[in-house]
Amino acid sequence: MPSFAHLARLSDDTGLFEHARHAIVRREHGYCTDDVARGLVVTSREPEPPEAVLRLAERYLAFLTHAQDDRGAFHNRLGHDRRWADRPGLGDWWGRALWGLGTAAGRSPAPWIREEALVAFGAGAARRSPAPHAMAFAGLGAAEVLRRHPGHAAAAALLADAADAVGVPDPNPRWTWPQQRLTYANGALAEVVIAAGQLGDDGPLLGTGLRMLAWLRHVQTLDGRLSVIPAAGWRRGAVRLRHDQQPIEVAALADACATAATVTGDPVWDVGVRQAVGWFLGDNDVGTPMWDPATGGGYDGLTPHGPNLNQGAESTLALISTLQHARRWS
């Protein structure tokens, strides 16, 4: 089971700090909506959260509702002085905020969290971002809402638009992807197409998402282990680098494979989830664990020489979300 100890260490009464030097918080970098939203995702996924985890979820929800403006956009960066450093927008943080709110509305065991999260989700669900990743993240939140509230029209429209924003993959089996470059959190793009196909009762769309995910998993597997797209990305036809690999990519693939396993019942997708868990436990290109058992924190990246030992919010959240899927076998 995942540990929330380091997530609690990175959190205060306002939100979740973005960065750490090793395991120690770097308060000077403040908070960001991106990470707080992911914090709400993982705390809301816990089926029987202890009181401390439930309090974290409440704190993250309060942060997101404070970040949201009256038109449904979100601020992203809050300084330690509690002042916003940006104007509300519709970037990745908007999408992740809706993902967090949708997950809380759909899965939180606390009714007061579900109710407030659904209100905030509804306020943001009418907006659209020009960025495919932002739309994919928002669509994942819409899918969570629809699983609990099948008649939620705004969520259904957002999910359909998110799948459209991802685009149609190239039919070439060597590059079964809508874009000419793989960047970050690639699994989320395939996952939202799978969710849109399943929840929209669209068999061809579901098949498209599954083909995207199968190809993505294939190109990120080396000798039976995960070797994920690095931070620099990978452009079609270019030489592919192997480092620096980011935990967020592993977590996105784990989420997508877990969704595919649930939707199809095909055990091949459980293999993908196991590979993602294994990446954190040491079955990776360097053969080293990507987390610190003493703190519960996830390491920030895999370099050719081993892990980046900083334990920031993004990597710790990626570790937690991936390990949550290990419940499939418990």
Side-chain angles (χ1 to χ4, degrees):
M1 293 292 109
S3 167
F4 286 82
H6 191 56
L7 198 64
R9 187 179 293 112
L10 293 173
S11 302
D12 66 1
D13 60 355
T14 296
L16 173 59
F17 287 104
E18 183 176 9
H19 292 299
R21 180 182 292 119
H22 294 178
I24 304 303
V25 168
R26 300 193 67 179
R27 295 183 178 182
E28 67 271 25
H29 294 290
Y31 321 82
C32 72
T33 293
D34 261 325
D35 288 333
V36 174
R38 284 182 282 221
L40 186 56
V41 169
V42 300
T43 52
S44 298
R45 284 178 174 178
E46 288 296 295
E48 297 179 354
E51 188 70 16
V53 172
L54 195 61
R55 295 289 82 80
L56 287 175
E58 289 184 331
R59 206 169 308 160
Y60 300 156
L61 175 57
F63 183 102
L64 295 181
T65 58
H66 177 52
Q68 189 175 37
D69 73 4
D70 57 6
R71 298 180 60 213
F74 289 83
H75 291 278
N76 188 31
R77 299 204 167 274
L78 184 70
H80 190 230
D81 61 1
R82 311 307 195 266
R83 295 184 180 184
W84 293 109
D86 60 0
R87 298 182 65 81
L90 301 172
D92 280 3
W93 60 94
W94 164 82
R96 286 199 176 101
L98 291 186
W99 185 10
L101 293 168
T103 304
R107 294 208 206 184
S108 176
W112 62 93
I113 290 179
R114 292 199 306 271
E115 291 162 8
E116 178 60 22
L118 188 61
V119 170
F121 173 87
R127 303 299 301 271
R128 297 293 184 268
S129 172
H133 273 83
M135 288 295 292
F137 299 142
L140 293 176
E144 294 283 8
V145 170
L146 287 168
R147 290 179 184 118
R148 180 174 279 268
H149 304 285
H152 198 291
L158 178 57
L159 179 57
D161 287 348
D164 285 344
V166 169
V168 179
D170 192 313
N172 187 333
R174 294 189 175 184
W175 192 271
T176 311
W177 202 251
Q179 290 86 38
Q180 296 300 299
R181 185 168 179 263
L182 292 170
T183 54
Y184 60 95
N186 296 290
L189 302 184
E191 184 184 2
V192 80
V193 175
I194 291 169
Q198 184 227 353
L199 294 168
D201 197 23
D202 186 332
L205 187 62
L206 172 60
T208 294
L210 292 170
R211 285 195 302 276
M212 287 173 59
L213 182 58
W215 177 82
L216 182 65
R217 183 174 160 238
H218 171 71
V219 299
Q220 295 193 111
T221 301
L222 178 66
D223 297 330
R225 66 177 182 275
L226 284 190
S227 180
V228 297
I229 303 302
W234 180 33
R235 183 169 293 280
R236 185 176 186 174
V239 174
R240 177 177 164 187
L241 303 176
R242 292 289 171 182
H243 299 285
D244 294 328
Q245 294 178 31
Q246 302 293 298
I248 185 177
E249 187 61 35
V250 179
L253 190 65
D255 279 352
C257 286
T259 293
T262 299
V263 168
T264 67
D266 190 336
V268 71
W269 300 115
D270 279 321
V271 176
V273 178
R274 289 179 188 274
Q275 288 173 319
V277 172
W279 186 91
F280 281 101
L281 301 183
D283 190 14
N284 50 53
D285 286 350
V286 183
T288 184
M290 286 299 297
W291 73 298
D292 183 349
T295 65
Y299 294 136
D300 278 358
L302 182 64
T303 78
H305 313 291
N308 174 339
L309 296 176
N310 292 334
Q311 300 168 36
E314 179 178 282
S315 54
T316 296
L317 291 161
L319 168 71
I320 293 171
S321 69
T322 301
L323 294 183
Q324 285 178 319
H325 293 306
R327 289 194 180 97
R328 299 178 66 85
W329 315 305
S330 62

